[in-house]
Amino acid sequence: MSDEMILTSVTDRVALITLNRPKALNALNDQLMNELGAALLKFDADDQISCMVITGSEKAFAAGADIGGMANFSFNDVYQGDYITKNWETIRRIRKPVIAAVSGFALGGGCELAMMCDFIIAADNAKFGQPEIKLGILPGAGGTQRLPKAVSKSKAMDMCLTARMMDAQEAERAGLVSRVVPAERLMEEAMGAAKTIAEMSLPIVMMVKESINASYESSLSEGIRFERRMFHAAFATEDQKEGMKAFLEKRPAKFKHQ
Ligand code: CO8
C-alpha cells in the first residue's frame, strides 16, 4: 500500500492521520479513501493505540470528493459499480474514538468525513458546507442525515439547498463542532484532547463511544437499556477497580486498558 495520500504518526497512544493532497485541497479520491480506511483499521486493531486524529492542511481539511474523478461517471458506474461510494464507510467500523481536527475548508464529502468522526475540533478559519447542489448532485456520504442531527433541520436545509458555508463560530453555536481554537493552536488542542482520552481506560472509552452512538440509532428506552448494560459491564474491568481505588487513595489512576 502506498502511503502517499495520507501521512501517519504515533505518539502517546494517539495516531495522527494527515490527509496529504494539499494541492487539490485534499479532494477525496479512491486511493486516499482506501489508504485512510486501511490506516484506521490498522490503528483500531493496535493495542498500543487508544485514539485517532484525522486532519488536513491549514487551507483545507478536505474540499470534497474528487470532482474530476467522478465528472464522467454514469448511473451504472456509481450504482452498479459502486465507484466513489464504496470506500467511505470504513470509518463507521472503527471502535476507538476518532477526532476530526478541521482547519480551512470542510466541504461536501470533506464535511461528511468530519461528521463521521466522533467529534470535531475546529480552527477559527474553518468553513463547513455541503455545496453539492451547485454540481447538480446531492450529499452522498451522510450529509443530509448527519447534518440535521448536528445543527437542526433548518440550518441543514439552508446549507444543503443554498450551498452556503458555515464559519467556525456558527458551527460551534449550532453544535456541529465541540471547540473552536485559533488556527495556530489547532493541532495542540486536538492532540491534547486525544492524549487525555488515551490516558483513560480503553475498554471504558470504547463503551462510551458505543453508548453515545446508540443514542443516534435507537429510542430513548433502548438507548438507556444499552447504556445500563455497558455500565454494568464496566464493573468487570480491572480499570474500574483501579479508577475507584485511586480516587479513594487521592492519587491519579494508572489504567491498564483492561
Ligand atoms: N475535487 C477536485 N479538485 C478540487 C476540489 C474537489 N472537490 N476542490 C478543490 N480542488 C482543486 C482545484 O481544482 C484546484 O486545482 P488546480 O490548482 O489544479 O486548478 C485546487 O484544488 C485549488 O482549488 P481552487 O483554486 O478552487 O482554490 P480556491 O481557494 O479558489 O477555492 C474552494 C477553494 C472554494 C474550496 C474551491 O476549490 C471549491 O469550491 N472546491 C469544490 C468544493 C465542492 O464543490 N465540494 C463538493 C464536491 S462533491 C462531493 O464532495 C460529493 C461527496 C459525495 C461522497 C459520496 C461518497 C459516499
Side-chain angles (χ1 to χ4, degrees), residues 142-201:
T144 64
Q145 304 304 301
R146 291 194 180 92
L147 196 59
K149 285 194 164 80
V151 303
S152 81
K153 175 186 164 190
S154 186
K155 272 193 192 287
M157 285 281 189
D158 181 0
M159 287 172 70
C160 292
L161 291 171
T162 69
R164 83 168 172 90
M165 292 185 213
M166 190 183 262
D167 67 20
Q169 286 68 29
E170 184 180 2
E172 188 183 27
R173 280 198 307 277
L176 179 61
V177 311
S178 67
R179 319 178 188 182
V180 177
V181 294
E184 62 278 10
R185 287 206 41 240
L186 176 66
M187 292 321 294
E188 186 189 331
E189 187 82 8
M191 294 302 283
K195 189 166 176 270
T196 299
I197 293 167
E199 283 165 3
M200 308 299 176
S201 162

Side-chain angles (χ1 to χ4, degrees), residues 23-25 27 59 63-67 70 85 88 107-109 132 135 140-141:
K23 285 193 187 124
L25 305 187
K59 182 165 178 190
D66 192 315
I67 299 169
M70 61 185 162
T85 48
W88 282 67
L107 302 178
E132 287 90 338
L135 299 169

